[in-house]
Amino acid sequence: GAVVSQHPSRVICKSGTSVKIECRSLDFQATTMFWYRQFPKQSLMLMATSNEGSKATYEQGVEKDKFLINHASLTLSTLTVTSAHPEDSSFYICSAFVPGQGAGETQYFGPGTRLLVL
Amino acid sequence: GQNIDQPTEMTATEGAIVQINCTYQTSGFNGLFWYQQHAGEAPTFLSYNVLDGLEEKGRFSSFLSRSKGYSYLLLKELQMKDSASYLCAVMDSNYQLIWGAGTKLIIKP
């Protein structure tokens, strides 16, 4: 099946630093990727939709200047958490729809990145 | 507003059958998804329903009734490894996924 990878899987950083998370589609081209955040015992929260070659679309309440998204190619999207603070500690997950899956397009998730800001 | 409702937690016995319900109210409908998520991991795709009826895939089946805004995920012959959270998600008219909070399924020996 389709594979989406994320790097790093886990990161610990000091407050005030920036962290970059990469999301790659390994065996298909993804014009659109999605970035989610999930706090413990809560559901996935869509942060933004990353579009190849254009600006990302952010959900209400998500600061676009804090969460920088770049979708430079059809296989790579990056999320940069700028000036991270402890409240940004969370599980960040990217995903992409795989077109032409027959009975409905399915969304495949990366393995997620656990961010801990000290 | 849009919302997805599913039970917070369910408990079942190994070898038994469990049904996890999901009701939804969304602006438009382009399909309903079920995902499995083990603790600390990303969700993995289980099923997709866009037409009414039952879709069977091995030990897992998913049912949809669009008129009732209702779906269920049926898990048979439960195994300990089925202990996980099960997320219901609906794709609305804008092709955005609306996520339920997930149902934590606990399997007991």
Side-chain angles (χ1 to χ4, degrees), chain A residues 103-104, chain B residues 24 29-33 48-53 55 64 66:
Chain B
Y24 63 90
F29 180 82
N30 279 300
L32 184 144
F33 297 78
Y48 170 76
N49 293 68
V50 67
L51 299 176
D52 290 349
E55 294 276 346
L64 174 67
R66 287 172 297 171

Side-chain angles (χ1 to χ4, degrees), chain A residues 16-32:
Chain A
T17 60
S18 294
V19 176
K20 179 186 282 189
I21 303 171
E22 291 186 350
C23 177
R24 293 181 185 274
S25 58
L26 297 185
D27 50 1
F28 66 98
Q29 294 182 330
T31 55
T32 302

Side-chain angles (χ1 to χ4, degrees), chain A:
Chain A
V3 177
V4 177
S5 71
Q6 257 182 266
H7 177 80
S9 58
R10 187 182 299 266
V11 59
I12 301 173
C13 68
K14 293 182 179 180
S15 184
T17 60
S18 294
V19 176
K20 179 186 282 189
I21 303 171
E22 291 186 350
C23 177
R24 293 181 185 274
S25 58
L26 297 185
D27 50 1
F28 66 98
Q29 294 182 330
T31 55
T32 302
M33 290 183 173
F34 304 90
W35 286 97
Y36 291 88
R37 181 167 53 182
Q38 186 177 34
F39 291 106
K41 298 184 179 181
Q42 295 187 23
S43 189
L44 298 170
M45 186 194 81
L46 179 65
M47 299 176 65
T49 302
S50 172
N51 304 297
E52 188 269 337
S54 64
K55 292 182 179 180
T57 305
Y58 290 82
E59 295 301 302
Q60 195 171 14
V62 178
E63 301 174 57
K64 59 182 180 182
D65 293 331
K66 180 171 180 63
F67 298 100
L68 302 178
I69 291 174
N70 183 271
H71 198 146
S73 76
L74 288 171
T75 59
L76 173 65
S77 175
T78 60
L79 168 68
T80 302
V81 183
T82 62
S83 186
H85 289 97
E87 56 266 30
D88 297 324
S89 298
S90 186
F91 192 43
Y92 292 85
I93 311 172
C94 71
S95 73
F97 275 107
V98 181
Q101 285 285 300
E105 296 177 340
T106 55
Q107 184 173 195
Y108 286 86
F109 289 88
T113 298
R114 191 160 299 281
L115 171 64
L116 177 61
V117 184
L118 302 176

Side-chain angles (χ1 to χ4, degrees), chain B residues 81-103:
Chain B
K81 67 178 182 179
D82 298 330
S83 293
S85 287
Y86 291 85
L87 306 175
C88 172
V90 173
M91 186 175 289
D92 68 10
S93 55
N94 294 318
Y95 294 93
Q96 292 268 33
L97 276 180
I98 312 300
W99 292 87
T103 299

